[in-house]
Amino acid sequence: MPLLLLNQFPELDQKSKEAFLKKLQIITVERGELLQNEGEICDFLFFVLEGSLRSFHLRDNRDITISFALEQEIATSMHSFITRKNSHELIEPMEKSRIGKISYTDLMGLFDEFPMIERVYRKILEQYYIQLEEQILSVKFKSARDRYLELLETRPKIIQKAAVGQIASYLDMSIETLSRIRGKI
């Protein structure tokens, strides 16, 4: 299963793939089990093999969803992972999930030995950045209805897996607004 993820990058040679897979730890986590806690340095890059993850902040006793990661996608507290500073977000499975995880230290070591892995990592970061920018632009410039329709079109599995409140906070709207939109579709 982890090989599927690596096959997205045909430029990775077999030796690089094998080295990466040796460092990748496969774990099974239950729904709600924290993979990353707020206030701690994020030491892992997570790969969703089966299931789904969400990243969120807690503010004034409110749970604000930042992102979702579905099968064959990555999740991490990117700012913390890169800067080695404490994370402002939490990461949890939305269902029982199989996750591959690689530590920051192991990944940096692989970069030195296998430069092509660093190139793939750069591509992953580029994809992450593009998704983040698209989300920001969507929230800033699209109507609530258009944001929901776009999510429904581009990532329908999130609608199936996430709770209504998680979807509403991700789309930057109230549960009532989301319910009205869903009722009219």
Side-chain angles (χ1 to χ4, degrees), residues 107-142:
L107 189 59
M108 295 304 123
L110 287 171
F111 290 171
D112 292 337
E113 196 172 344
F114 301 94
M116 195 53 74
I117 293 176
E118 186 171 19
R119 186 173 185 186
V120 166
Y121 176 71
R122 189 196 82 228
K123 287 183 174 187
I124 289 170
L125 287 179
E126 288 170 355
Q127 291 171 356
Y128 179 87
Y129 174 79
I130 288 167
Q131 284 181 322
L132 182 62
E133 187 171 315
E134 286 174 350
Q135 175 66 13
I136 290 168
L137 292 173
S138 179
V139 167
K140 293 280 187 194
F141 300 111
K142 292 184 179 176

Side-chain angles (χ1 to χ4, degrees), residues 23-166:
K23 299 288 186 182
L24 191 70
Q25 301 170 36
I26 308 297
I27 60 173
T28 299
V29 290
E30 297 296 325
R31 179 177 185 240
E33 184 179 329
L34 285 180
L35 294 172
Q36 175 63 43
N37 210 339
E38 183 178 24
E40 298 174 0
I41 294 174
C42 185
D43 284 323
F44 295 97
L45 191 58
F46 301 103
F47 301 87
V48 181
L49 305 175
E50 295 171 11
S52 55
L53 302 176
R54 80 177 182 110
S55 171
F56 63 102
H57 287 270
L58 293 175
R59 177 181 273 168
D60 301 327
N61 293 326
R62 283 190 37 228
D63 175 320
I64 303 166
T65 299
I66 304 302
S67 65
F68 296 102
L70 303 174
E71 291 179 6
Q72 303 306 310
E73 295 178 347
I74 66 157
T76 192
S77 175
M78 196 62 78
H79 181 267
S80 176
F81 188 77
I82 292 170
T83 66
R84 313 308 304 144
K85 293 181 180 177
N86 289 344
S87 173
H88 299 289
E89 60 193 289
L90 300 95
I91 300 172
E92 70 174 6
M94 295 189 295
E95 61 191 316
K96 185 174 182 176
S97 301
R98 279 189 65 235
I99 306 297
K101 67 179 192 173
I102 188 165
S103 73
Y104 178 86
T105 304
D106 285 345
L107 189 59
M108 295 304 123
L110 287 171
F111 290 171
D112 292 337
E113 196 172 344
F114 301 94
M116 195 53 74
I117 293 176
E118 186 171 19
R119 186 173 185 186
V120 166
Y121 176 71
R122 189 196 82 228
K123 287 183 174 187
I124 289 170
L125 287 179
E126 288 170 355
Q127 291 171 356
Y128 179 87
Y129 174 79
I130 288 167
Q131 284 181 322
L132 182 62
E133 187 171 315
E134 286 174 350
Q135 175 66 13
I136 290 168
L137 292 173
S138 179
V139 167
K140 293 280 187 194
F141 300 111
K142 292 184 179 176
S143 70
R145 182 179 187 280
D146 288 345
R147 291 194 304 270
Y148 178 73
L149 290 174
E150 182 176 65
L151 182 65
L152 192 57
E153 181 182 319
T154 61
R155 300 187 77 199
K157 284 188 177 182
I158 291 173
I159 307 295
Q160 299 165 359
K161 294 177 181 271
V164 174
Q166 294 168 350

